[in-house]
């Protein structure tokens, strides 16, 4: 069975308003707590029978968590705050649709992830590109027998600018 729906501009405004409220509430929370709650949501997803739509979107939470934890990416300042704020919705124990409702419980979470990913698409794409570059550089160094140093964000950005 396939179910599709469209979100109107009014619907999007509603979800963005909820996101803004969650971000305001999240400002009182510790970053680690926000990351832990997002990871807990992902763990629940593994046990649930979620649709591909929901599953694909919620996996984007992993990328955002990795962005915050990656010591080589060194996300800081306003960029870091933006990702933490984006994850704040998922730190809320109660959301629009309770997660335990079969088939629908994660739908609101998936919609929120979709909005957040669109908002952070440039930063997420840059991080994904960085991870690919780092992996390729590690492979090149391994083949050459050179040092296994990680590629820093600064090195990657410099190489990217030269390209």
């Amino acid at each position: 069975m396939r179910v599709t729906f469209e979100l109107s501009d009014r619907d999007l405004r509603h979800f963005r308003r909820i996101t803004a409220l969650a971000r305001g509430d999240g400002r009182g929370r510790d970053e680690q707590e926000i990351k832990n709650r997002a990871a807990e949501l992902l763990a629940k997803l593994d046990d649930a029978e979620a649709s591909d739509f929901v599953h694909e979107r919620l996996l984007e939470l992993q990328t955002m968590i990795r962005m915050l934890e990656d010591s080589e990416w060194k996300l800081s300042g306003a960029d870091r705050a933006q990702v933490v704020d984006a994850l704040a919705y998922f730190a809320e124990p109660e959301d629009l649709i309770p997660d335990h409702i079969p088939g629908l419980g994660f739908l609101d979470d998936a919609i929120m992830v979709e909005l957040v990913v669109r908002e952070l698409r440039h930063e997420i794409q840059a991080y994904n590109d960085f991870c690919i570059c780092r992996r390729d550089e590690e492979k090149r160094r391994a083949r050459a027998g050179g040092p296994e140093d990680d590629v820093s964000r600064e090195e990657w950005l410099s190489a990217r600018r030269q390209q």
Side-chain angles (χ1 to χ4, degrees):
M1 182 168 109
R2 181 182 176 107
V3 177
T4 60
F5 61 93
E6 272 187 51
L7 295 176
S8 68
D9 288 340
R10 183 174 174 243
D11 296 328
L12 291 172
R13 282 192 302 273
H14 173 73
F15 277 103
R16 286 190 177 109
R17 190 171 42 254
I18 291 168
T19 303
L21 289 172
R23 287 176 175 172
D25 292 343
R27 287 199 172 87
R29 295 181 191 262
D30 176 70
E31 179 182 313
Q32 189 60 48
E33 179 185 357
I34 290 173
K35 289 189 304 188
N36 290 345
R37 291 282 182 91
E40 288 170 14
L41 178 64
L42 287 169
K44 282 194 236 175
L45 178 64
D46 288 341
D47 296 334
E49 291 186 25
S51 69
D52 290 342
F53 169 83
V54 169
H55 192 76
E56 289 167 9
R57 273 136 192 95
L58 290 185
L59 287 178
E60 293 289 343
L61 291 176
Q62 286 178 332
T63 301
M64 288 184 268
I65 293 168
R66 282 194 313 266
M67 287 171 66
L68 294 171
E69 295 177 340
D70 191 327
S71 62
E72 291 299 317
W73 184 240
K74 297 178 185 174
L75 192 62
S76 62
D79 291 335
R80 185 175 196 86
Q82 188 177 19
V83 174
V84 171
D85 283 352
L87 290 173
Y89 176 80
F90 308 102
E92 291 301 314
E94 295 187 22
D95 51 13
L96 291 174
I97 304 171
D99 294 339
H100 69 273
I101 297 177
L104 297 175
F106 294 105
L107 185 58
D108 62 316
D109 300 295
I111 291 169
M112 295 306 256
V113 169
E114 182 68 23
L115 293 174
V116 165
V117 165
R118 287 178 185 209
E119 183 179 311
L120 298 174
R121 71 183 172 277
H122 298 295
E123 189 68 28
I124 290 170
Q125 184 60 54
Y127 179 68
N128 288 333
D129 290 348
F130 171 77
C131 290
I132 291 167
C133 174
R134 177 172 51 190
R135 185 191 67 226
D136 292 348
E137 182 63 17
E138 287 169 356
K139 286 180 184 177
R140 186 194 64 74
R141 288 178 179 171
R143 282 192 307 270
E148 294 293 328
D149 295 337
D150 288 333
V151 177
S152 72
R153 184 179 192 198
E154 290 79 20
E155 290 171 327
W156 177 80
L157 286 172
S158 175
R160 187 71 181 250
R161 286 182 185 120
Q162 288 177 2
Q163 288 178 347

